[in-house]
Amino acid sequence: MKFDIKPMVDWYDPKQLAATGVKTVVSTVFGNFADRREMQAALDPGKAYYDFSERDDFWLDFISDLGDGFNPTYTLAHLLAKEELLVDGNLTKRGNILVMGGDEVYPTPEMDEYRNRLQGPYHAAFPKKADDKDAPRLFVIPGNHDWYDGLTNFLKIFCQGRSLGNWRTEQTRSYFAIKLPHRYWLLGIDIQLNSDIDVPQLKYFQNVAAHPDMQPGDKVILATAEPAWVYESFDEKNSSNKRLKFFVDRIIRGAKDDPDDPTGFYNGKNKDIQITTIITGDLHHYSRYLETLPDGKERQLITAGGGGAFMHTTHSLKPEIKKSEGFDARFKASFPSKSDSLNQNTKNLLFFWYGPWMVLILGLVHALTFYFLKVSPAGTNRSLSPSGFVFADLWDVVGMSITTPMVLIFHLLLAVGIWQFADVKSGNHKKLNSLVGLLHGLGHVLIFNLLVVKLPDWNKSLFGIEELSGYLFFAEMLILGGLLSGILFGIYLWFCSRILGNHITEASSSFKGEDFKNFIRFHISDNGVTIYPVGIRKVVKNWKNAGTDEDPKFEGDEPKVELIEKPIFIPNT
């Protein structure tokens, strides 16, 4: 398959931000009126579930948040394709099933993006073998980025019996139920863009729960598209956990409406069904919490969104998620570690280097603001020389800015726009978030005014120039103003992430981190389930095509893998 090698998505490219924003608004509005999941259910009765329970020894791979830059995407695909993988002395096998847990492509789900960022790398890593009767199967749930076109291309790629390399698709809807060996089930749910589960999907899983093959005491691995436990600990107003608990309690375990009913809150055959593991992506790192359930049993809460997209930091994760936040869970491990995460966060101080488009936009705003100041009635008669320069005092500059309408408008747009960028929903000190955001916006205005005051003096001392043309001053404001605002923007992201614990996405996407990737490998045997969290500290960056454009074959250094933590064992008893 011919495809174009793509770099990591630049989320601070204004054009990219605008395109993604439009997609988000359109898909959210129209998705509520034309839900493709309902059309799927109406047009295709589908299977009650997919049955792989006849195998005694079974391997299952989970990866999420993939389809971004080539280096991390292909590195992970290369590892998943290997028949065997030795990780810290543990011999693991390629999954009989590969589950993709959401956001299969970035930034938006155009067919070209799927081809270049997902299909091409996975085809190259594991070419299709037409005669492979035991080819691994592929099951996929969509994330928010897959939903930006209403699932149009997702359904074409994953729900029409096609292949992704040698991984074969079988599902006909964007959600699925799989019967695994040794009384295990895998349920993959599609929560659309707003944590919503449609009525036909609820009925589908109600039928699965009511099926005679789901027996009392069976165990469930639940795959969903966002870590409700983390999001609710960040923001108490987040409701994703309530929807998740509704699905588990009411749909799978058959809870009744009245929890105080003396006959028991749970009734029917599924009252003893155990949700042993909930696994998800959406945050692009690995983290695990251990939840203690009311009956004393434990549940693994695993975020594994390290399939290829930028690395999310982990130092903001809470050591404990309390019952008041919807869970009784304790933090167990993360990748990157919290110390590594803090080190990665310092890259925000180089934002001016990683985000050149944003630096250019900020510089252009400063330059245009200066233009309107220069052509204002007061500015046209003023010399730009340092001697007797009317703007020599900062207060004079501020006064001139306030009394010049277009300059005031630009200042307000800059300050208020950046203030609105502030993350006020999460963090350790939510009351400070808005104030710090306002100070950040005013800081950019201050940069402009300080440059107006000092540039003439600097130019005289550095270049010996007494008079500067407005054009040269405009250029200096564009370059130096943009650079200083870029530095301030980076300091703001660094401070918010490290001190306030907010802006987790904005302070992670800023430096487009390719490294610290992961996937999860499950081994299901007659003893129980062993979970191997596989980490890749540094992805391979020297891949070279030794094949052709039509039939690519990439060679490079062999990726170094490690266990993020010791294997997690869940006994069958």
Side-chain angles (χ1 to χ4, degrees), residues 218-513:
D218 283 359
K219 297 178 175 65
V220 172
I221 300 169
L222 178 61
T224 182
E226 64 178 26
W229 52 95
V230 176
Y231 287 159
E232 189 141 338
S233 73
F234 284 168
D235 177 13
E236 62 273 9
K237 295 182 180 179
N238 187 287
S239 59
S240 56
N241 172 48
K242 296 179 178 63
R243 293 187 176 96
L244 182 63
K245 285 191 174 294
F246 173 87
F247 178 83
V248 170
D249 288 340
R250 300 299 181 89
I251 305 302
I252 302 304
R253 299 186 66 191
K256 295 187 295 184
D257 289 333
D258 185 6
D260 297 322
D261 190 324
T263 61
F265 182 42
Y266 297 103
N267 59 4
K269 71 181 182 68
N270 288 353
K271 63 180 181 179
D272 296 323
I273 291 290
Q274 297 180 45
I275 313 295
T276 66
T277 307
I278 303 178
I279 189 164
T280 183
D282 204 40
L283 289 176
H284 309 163
H285 58 225
Y286 171 87
S287 68
R288 180 173 70 93
Y289 284 83
L290 184 63
E291 180 182 15
T292 302
L293 302 173
D295 59 5
K297 294 179 180 178
E298 294 181 331
R299 177 182 296 159
Q300 307 295 333
L301 305 176
I302 298 175
T303 304
F310 66 85
M311 181 215 74
H312 265 115
T313 54
T314 60
H315 57 267
S316 299
L317 295 172
K318 292 187 175 182
E320 184 178 9
I321 301 177
K322 301 176 183 178
K323 291 182 180 179
S324 60
E325 297 165 332
F327 293 86
D328 181 8
R330 302 176 306 282
F331 173 86
K332 305 302 287 187
S334 69
F335 187 76
S337 67
K338 293 193 176 184
S339 59
D340 285 335
S341 175
L342 286 168
N343 290 336
Q344 291 293 306
N345 180 51
T346 59
K347 292 182 179 180
N348 279 299
L349 299 179
L350 297 176
F351 179 82
F352 65 91
W353 175 261
Y354 288 110
W357 286 108
M358 185 61 71
V359 169
L360 178 62
I361 291 297
L362 291 169
L364 187 59
V365 170
H366 288 318
L368 289 174
T369 307
F370 165 73
Y371 168 78
F372 286 111
L373 184 62
K374 179 68 174 67
V375 300
S376 66
T380 52
N381 297 322
R382 303 298 182 184
S383 167
L384 288 176
S385 63
S387 56
F389 187 51
V390 71
F391 297 153
D393 182 83
L394 179 60
W395 290 111
D396 289 341
V397 178
V398 172
M400 183 67 71
S401 297
I402 292 174
T403 57
T404 305
M406 285 303 299
V407 174
L408 180 60
I409 289 172
F410 266 72
H411 279 345
L412 288 174
L413 288 174
L414 180 62
V416 174
I418 290 179
W419 182 26
Q420 291 302 305
F421 171 76
D423 174 10
V424 297
K425 294 183 178 181
S426 63
N428 306 319
H429 310 282
K430 294 184 179 65
K431 293 181 179 179
L432 289 178
N433 292 358
S434 183
L435 175 60
V436 174
L438 176 60
L439 293 175
H440 178 214
L442 293 175
H444 290 276
V445 174
L446 179 61
I447 284 174
F448 170 85
N449 288 283
L450 286 173
L451 285 177
V452 171
V453 171
K454 298 304 296 182
L455 268 177
D457 293 331
W458 293 342
N459 281 299
K460 180 182 179 182
S461 62
L462 291 173
F463 308 116
I465 301 175
E466 292 285 346
E467 284 285 339
L468 291 178
S469 70
Y471 295 108
L472 184 54
F473 209 97
F474 182 95
E476 289 183 318
M477 191 67 74
L478 174 67
I479 298 169
L480 190 57
L483 182 62
L484 291 175
S485 277
I487 292 172
L488 176 61
F489 207 101
I491 293 172
Y492 169 77
L493 292 175
W494 172 84
F495 177 84
C496 286
S497 179
R498 187 179 184 92
I499 306 300
L500 299 182
N502 66 344
H503 276 303
I504 180 172
T505 293
E506 295 81 6
S508 298
S509 60
S510 54
F511 53 87
K512 297 171 281 190

Side-chain angles (χ1 to χ4, degrees), residues 76-90:
L76 272 294
H78 170 77
L79 292 171
L80 290 168
K82 285 178 169 294
E83 188 172 353
E84 294 182 341
L85 187 63
L86 186 65
V87 191
D88 290 351
N90 298 275

Side-chain angles (χ1 to χ4, degrees), residues 69-114:
F70 176 79
N71 288 335
T73 300
Y74 187 80
T75 297
L76 272 294
H78 170 77
L79 292 171
L80 290 168
K82 285 178 169 294
E83 188 172 353
E84 294 182 341
L85 187 63
L86 186 65
V87 191
D88 290 351
N90 298 275
L91 184 62
T92 68
K93 296 182 179 180
R94 181 178 59 225
N96 304 104
I97 289 175
L98 172 61
V99 177
M100 293 182 173
D103 286 344
E104 278 69 52
V105 70
Y106 290 91
T108 50
E110 280 80 13
M111 191 59 80
D112 283 345
E113 298 286 17
Y114 272 116

